[in-house]
Amino acid sequence: MEALVSCIITTHNRAELLKKAMASVLAQTYPFLEIIIVDDGSQDHTAEVCRAWTKEDHRIQYIQVPYAQGANHARNLGIQRANGKYIAFLDDDDQWLPDKIQSQTRTLEQNKELFCFCSKVLVYVDQDHKVTRRKVSVESRDLVFYADLLTYNWIGETSKIMVQTQLARSVMFDEQLTSAQDYDFYLRILQRGHHAINIKEPLVHIYIHQGPRISTSSKKKFQGQRKVLIKYYKDMSEEQKRRQLHHYRMMEWSKNPKRNVLFLKNTLALYPWWKNFTLFKRNIRTMLVGYRLRKQFRSETLSKEEYKGTA
């Protein structure tokens, strides 16, 4: 008997994007699915769209949350409702390729494993929703263990993963985190002695757009990253601590216009980032963003002072 897979789609005020996400689920080559849409307090026409789907397809369930409580809460509701052997998550602004569920289910069933992830295609879109660039992202590791994950989130977005339902139900998402909730979820799974199988095939389109995302909110990102860093700090090696602190402080410096060059120098000294090409590119990009922000901040400050001087 084929394993049932519960596809959990979380959404909030993005009915048009949700239609595209749903289309990618309905196009899956693996037929044994149940589809659970968790609407996190949408105020647009999401409810109308979802209720129409439930009438057309008996596999679709719709859960409407009265007011927005965050993606973590929505995913946990989906996990609680799931009847499948496995769970696959999908954000409303991402899309699966047709063989995503087939490939992941086959991998877990054949290997008798509980957790896997796939590669992705980053799709960059402009304000008019036109695709400006595509980039394939493939992690080289065959397996990811807890020690690997303490260094960096090699797994990535929740839209890439599939996990056994009972395991997900025993872990759940931390609803107190404002960001890095996926990272924390993976860490707690692997902390139990499990590992993640890497399917090195790009099976998900992750859309990078101008709309609201947790990753574009500096304050929320800092808060979540800091909590995760503190939570697992005792399990990290000295190198892992240096790298995590380096990543966090680089991110903090780039978004804070009042940070000075001395802070940047101290941050860069935490980890030999220049020896790793990926980190080198990321840090150069981070520094350019930071300097651009500071230039803008100084310009705005000067304009205000000139205005006061003429008043």
Side-chain angles (χ1 to χ4, degrees):
M1 184 177 178
E2 297 287 349
L4 179 68
V5 177
S6 299
C7 305
I8 299 174
I9 308 175
T10 52
T11 188
H12 176 70
N13 283 341
R14 292 199 285 211
E16 296 308 311
L17 287 176
L18 176 62
K19 291 178 182 178
K20 296 179 181 180
M22 174 60 85
S24 77
V25 177
L26 296 176
Q28 291 298 300
T29 57
Y30 188 82
F32 304 100
L33 307 176
E34 70 168 358
I35 305 166
I36 303 170
I37 306 170
V38 186
D39 177 4
D40 187 35
S42 294
Q43 299 299 313
D44 60 0
H45 59 291
T46 296
E48 179 183 345
V49 170
C50 292
R51 290 194 178 104
W53 283 334
T54 60
K55 294 177 181 178
E56 297 171 0
D57 193 328
H58 70 278
R59 299 177 302 170
I60 301 174
Q61 302 178 47
Y62 174 55
I63 302 174
Q64 186 176 30
V65 181
Y67 59 93
Q69 298 185 54
N72 296 356
H73 178 74
R75 291 188 185 111
N76 284 341
L77 286 178
I79 292 171
Q80 292 167 0
R81 183 70 68 88
N83 297 303
K85 182 178 180 179
Y86 303 111
I87 287 175
F89 299 97
L90 181 62
D91 289 347
D92 59 8
D93 54 345
D94 297 330
Q95 296 171 27
W96 290 338
L97 272 66
D99 290 333
K100 197 262 190 188
I101 299 300
Q102 176 75 54
S103 179
Q104 290 191 311
T105 305
R106 183 173 59 245
T107 297
L108 292 182
E109 290 285 279
Q110 290 179 351
N111 293 279
K112 307 297 182 184
E113 295 292 351
L114 309 179
F115 186 31
C116 70
F117 66 102
C118 63
S119 297
K120 64 187 175 184
V121 179
L122 292 170
V123 183
Y124 296 84
V125 296
D126 60 20
Q127 294 179 342
D128 297 323
H129 305 290
K130 294 181 179 179
V131 176
T132 59
R133 184 163 64 101
R134 296 177 187 269
K135 178 183 178 182
V136 177
S137 176
V138 179
E139 170 52 39
S140 61
R141 290 169 171 78
D142 295 318
L143 301 173
V144 174
F145 295 90
Y146 181 59
D148 301 319
L149 214 59
L150 285 173
T151 300
Y152 184 73
N153 182 5
W154 303 107
I155 296 175
E157 297 83 354
T158 52
S159 293
K160 296 169 55 181
I161 75 166
M162 181 180 284
V163 60
Q164 185 198 55
T165 301
Q166 291 303 320
L167 178 56
R169 201 166 278 158
S170 67
V171 176
M172 307 295 278
F173 285 87
D174 185 347
E175 298 183 22
Q176 302 305 312
L177 288 176
T178 55
S179 71
Q181 56 266 42
D182 50 357
Y183 188 26
D184 173 72
F185 182 71
Y186 309 152
L187 281 165
R188 285 187 287 118
I189 287 176
L190 301 193
Q191 193 177 39
R192 297 181 173 213
H194 303 293
H195 58 263
I197 298 179
N198 180 14
I199 300 173
K200 300 176 184 179
E201 183 180 355
L203 298 171
V204 179
H205 283 175
I206 303 293
Y207 283 79
I208 311 299
H209 54 79
Q210 301 299 317
R213 299 176 70 104
I214 285 293
S215 58
T216 60
S217 172
S218 299
K219 184 177 180 180
K220 289 182 178 180
K221 193 170 183 179
F222 293 156
Q223 290 173 344
Q225 290 278 1
R226 185 174 184 274
K227 285 181 180 180
V228 170
L229 181 60
I230 293 172
K231 191 174 182 179
Y232 299 98
Y233 196 75
K234 61 179 175 54
D235 291 344
M236 295 178 187
S237 66
E238 290 304 312
E239 181 182 354
Q240 288 167 336
K241 289 176 181 177
R242 286 196 299 271
R243 178 160 179 167
Q244 287 281 10
L245 284 169
H246 168 78
H247 172 70
Y248 175 79
R249 295 187 69 186
M250 277 296 292
M251 181 174 63
E252 183 184 5
W253 178 85
S254 70
K255 298 297 183 181
N256 190 333
K258 296 182 180 180
R259 292 292 186 189
N260 56 29
V261 176
L262 179 60
F263 182 92
L264 175 62
K265 289 180 179 178
N266 291 336
T267 302
L268 294 177
L270 287 173
Y271 189 82
W273 53 277
W274 54 90
K275 295 182 180 181
N276 183 293
F277 183 62
T278 301
L279 285 179
F280 181 83
K281 289 194 300 181
R282 183 182 300 138
N283 282 353
I284 294 298
R285 186 165 59 245
T286 298
M287 284 187 278
L288 290 175
V289 169
Y291 282 124
R292 186 165 61 247
L293 181 64
R294 280 155 185 74
K295 183 178 180 180
Q296 180 183 345
F297 177 76
R298 287 194 295 268
S299 177
E300 291 175 352
T301 302
L302 182 61
S303 297
K304 289 179 181 178
E305 290 177 351
E306 290 177 345
Y307 175 76
K308 289 179 182 179
T310 59

